[in-house]
Amino acid sequence: MAKSKDKTNVMRILDSKKIEYKFYSYEADATLTGVDVAHKLNKDENTVFKTLVTVGKSKEHYVFVIPVNKELDLKKASKAVSEKNISMVKSKDLLALTGYIHGGCSPIGMKKSFKTVFHDSASNLDTITFSAGKIGCQVEIDVKDISKIIEYSKADICMEE
């Protein structure tokens, strides 16, 4: 386990809720994709998830959590949150909005609670891995424990392959 001063806010939140997790770190560089991270961690790409932040026509923000090897389908995502349309938040706006930077965004521990939707494939998994809130840091937790930390729904929000 990481020393207290080395813990991210995500890890502190998981600890405070007494939720078990595995921590992974990797050498990060700006060229790594989510698929690259999955490979570095020796994880199946379908079990490592990325966190995407969007804004709707209503100006409400939404968080979508999908496998790293998939792309968000904006039409399906809009429908999942009952918006006419949504678009991705610009990277430069991410820190002020969520407290996280691009590549280190986690669905846990954002500055504010946003409506969050996980891709429905998470339902078929025992555990998922996602950012611990800092580039180069990931946590793996039981899917059943996510609802103990954040409210979320599930939907088919990815593009067809």
Side-chain angles (χ1 to χ4, degrees):
M1 196 52 57
K3 290 187 207 93
S4 183
K5 68 176 180 64
D6 296 332
K7 289 190 177 190
T8 66
N9 280 342
V10 171
M11 295 160 68
R12 285 188 204 82
I13 291 167
L14 293 172
D15 288 344
S16 74
K17 302 273 188 188
K18 300 196 179 348
I19 293 172
E20 288 189 28
Y21 61 91
K22 290 181 185 164
F23 171 73
Y24 301 98
S25 64
Y26 58 92
E27 192 65 39
D29 73 54
T31 65
L32 289 181
T33 65
V35 170
D36 295 331
V37 171
H39 293 166
K40 276 186 170 280
L41 301 178
N42 293 317
K43 294 276 179 197
D44 179 329
E45 298 169 8
N46 294 299
T47 67
V48 179
F49 282 58
K50 58 188 172 184
T51 304
L52 305 171
V53 183
T54 64
V55 61
K57 187 175 175 87
S58 68
K59 303 292 184 224
E60 289 293 316
H61 290 91
Y62 304 96
V63 175
F64 295 94
V65 187
I66 66 173
V68 294
N69 60 354
K70 305 262 190 241
E71 293 297 322
L72 184 65
D73 183 317
L74 293 174
K75 282 187 178 164
K76 289 180 182 179
S78 296
K79 187 176 175 189
V81 295
S82 302
E83 276 279 358
K84 190 168 181 86
N85 58 49
I86 60 170
S87 59
M88 299 301 297
V89 166
K90 291 179 176 40
S91 289
K92 68 179 178 58
D93 299 331
L94 203 56
L95 181 61
L97 181 66
T98 66
Y100 294 123
I101 61 170
H102 179 77
C105 198
S106 178
I108 297 172
M110 289 191 181
K111 283 182 171 183
K112 242 180 99 173
S113 291
F114 299 109
K115 185 167 188 172
T116 302
V117 180
F118 277 71
H119 184 250
D120 54 11
S121 65
S123 301
N124 305 324
L125 303 171
D126 293 327
T127 65
I128 65 168
T129 303
F130 52 83
S131 177
K134 183 176 163 187
I135 295 173
C137 299
Q138 299 271 311
V139 290
E140 178 181 1
I141 69 171
D142 283 349
V143 172
K144 65 182 176 1
D145 287 335
I146 298 168
S147 63
K148 296 175 184 174
I149 312 157
I150 58 171
E151 284 187 38
Y152 71 96
S153 59
K154 291 176 272 200
D156 174 15
I157 51 175
C158 292
M159 290 184 181
E160 298 298 320
E161 292 179 17

